[in-house]
Amino acid sequence: MTFSSQLLENAVNEFAKLPGIGKKTALRLVLHLIKQPEKDVSHFSEVMAKMRKEISFCTKCHNVSDQPVCNICSNPSRKQQLICVVESIRDVIAIESTQQFNGTYHVLGGIISPLDGIGPETLQIESLVNRVKQDEVQEIIFALNPNIQGDTTVYYIGRKLKETPVKITTIARGIAFGGELEYADEMTLAKSITNRIPIEHYIATAG
Amino acid sequence: MTFSSQLLENAVNEFAKLPGIGKKTALRLVLHLIKQPEKDVSHFSEVMAKMRKEISFCTKCHNVSDQPVCNICSNPSRKQQLICVVESIRDVIAIESTQQFNGTYHVLGGIISPLDGIGPETLQIESLVNRVKQDEVQEIIFALNPNIQGDTTVYYIGRKLKETPVKITTIARGIAFGGELEYADEMTLAKSITNRIPIEHYIATAG
């Protein structure tokens, strides 16, 4: 791409550093910003710089937070003895959007993946084990993606917690709503039969 | 989406204002920024604010430019008597990338579209007519998108320039390289036959 303006080129290059944004998309975004009032663009800039500068993480669950302890961990109406273990902040937002979970979270910051150089010591596993012991946690629910790395992580943490009385569960695997049986993979279909649910329970939790 | 941080929510909302960026993509971009060093994010912010604040437009061709006259218009090796008329800055970048054009440009800033409330008076048509007259321009090439609005714009400007000796052309319409005849629309196929090229000329201009 050939630019007639260095300012334009710099802005396009900055946007193109973002994941999933190519040069053409970056140009489209910058040309959009050029058309906006100057104060809107300076507001955009300020919000980004301020966010990066001031954002912090909950000392308990490692979710993003504006206070030392996030508003989920500090909410007295949420069960502190029920922890949902997730890979990233994105998963917290996804589960919170369902409005079905009233426990707390623990953000690992990744999953164990030796091939990518991510070992257990780089994740927030130590602090999870401490929480389970100190807060007398009754149940932890693993909500990790269903793949080898996710299963390895579940297994590793499960072993670390063997000595504690905590109950360990994982979210249900099965056929998604709107999914078609004939297109489901064999593994999912097999698991959905093994872990079948009594009809009374299914009806009670429907909707 | 439910956020545990106001800073995070504000940043996601700002990104989601950009065209083609939904909430999920915005979140992905913000979470990427959170992982970057603080100085990189503040650099990103500064580049955007500076770009919007300082960017200006060439007084001659209305392309973006860091100087009052852009580096295409002020380049003595480019033909001032040959003007390529385009809708937007993006088209200038696309044509410049071909490295096949050594004239100058004129950015209209849109095309005539009465249904969208865009009349000729909102576009840079007056200044184009003045350029043609003052600079004794020999040829203008219309490189507008092939649709009703594009054709209307070509027709309107053509009438405005009727009294001048300038030669008016448009870029060729035809079957694209790599395109398949059987999938081409009838209009394009018909035009490509009407405007067929002598084989000597085709070979002479082949890449």
Side-chain angles (χ1 to χ4, degrees), chain A residues 25-183:
Chain A
T25 306
L27 177 62
R28 190 161 51 78
L29 297 178
V30 173
L31 293 179
H32 171 82
L33 287 183
I34 289 180
K35 286 189 203 148
Q36 305 310 306
E38 196 179 315
K39 71 166 178 38
D40 288 9
V41 179
S42 79
H43 182 246
F44 172 87
S45 301
E46 281 160 23
V47 165
M48 294 305 153
K50 185 180 157 76
M51 182 275 298
R52 179 62 191 84
K53 199 171 164 212
E54 296 181 10
I55 208 149
S56 60
F57 297 88
C58 174
T59 50
K60 233 176 144 178
C61 73
H62 313 293
N63 188 13
V64 282
S65 171
D66 299 343
Q67 296 92 35
V69 174
C70 77
N71 52 15
I72 296 173
C73 286
S74 59
N75 185 341
S77 70
R78 302 196 61 140
K79 291 185 192 155
Q80 301 291 327
Q81 278 68 47
L82 177 61
I83 297 178
C84 181
V85 178
V86 294
E87 182 181 339
S88 78
I89 297 157
R90 218 176 306 181
D91 302 322
V92 174
I93 294 170
I95 297 173
E96 280 298 283
S97 298
T98 68
Q99 302 187 320
Q100 293 292 313
F101 181 68
N102 74 335
T104 57
Y105 294 93
H106 193 89
V107 180
L108 293 176
I111 45 175
I112 298 173
S113 178
L115 286 178
D116 302 314
I118 305 172
E121 68 288 349
T122 59
L123 306 178
Q124 301 291 359
I125 292 176
E126 193 78 22
S127 66
L128 173 63
V129 174
N130 291 342
R131 267 181 87 184
V132 170
K133 288 177 182 165
Q134 279 162 21
D135 295 359
E136 296 179 347
V137 171
Q138 285 160 3
E139 180 176 352
I140 67 174
I141 307 171
F142 282 103
L144 303 179
N145 286 320
N147 51 33
I148 300 276
Q149 291 87 354
D151 290 351
T152 306
T153 309
V154 169
Y155 180 74
Y156 180 88
I157 299 176
R159 258 199 350 193
K160 284 259 175 192
L161 293 171
K162 221 168 47 182
E163 308 299 314
T164 67
V166 70
K167 183 181 165 190
I168 298 178
T169 57
T170 76
I171 53 168
R173 309 288 179 208
I175 306 298
F177 277 97
E180 306 235 8
L181 277 198
E182 64 175 312
Y183 299 122

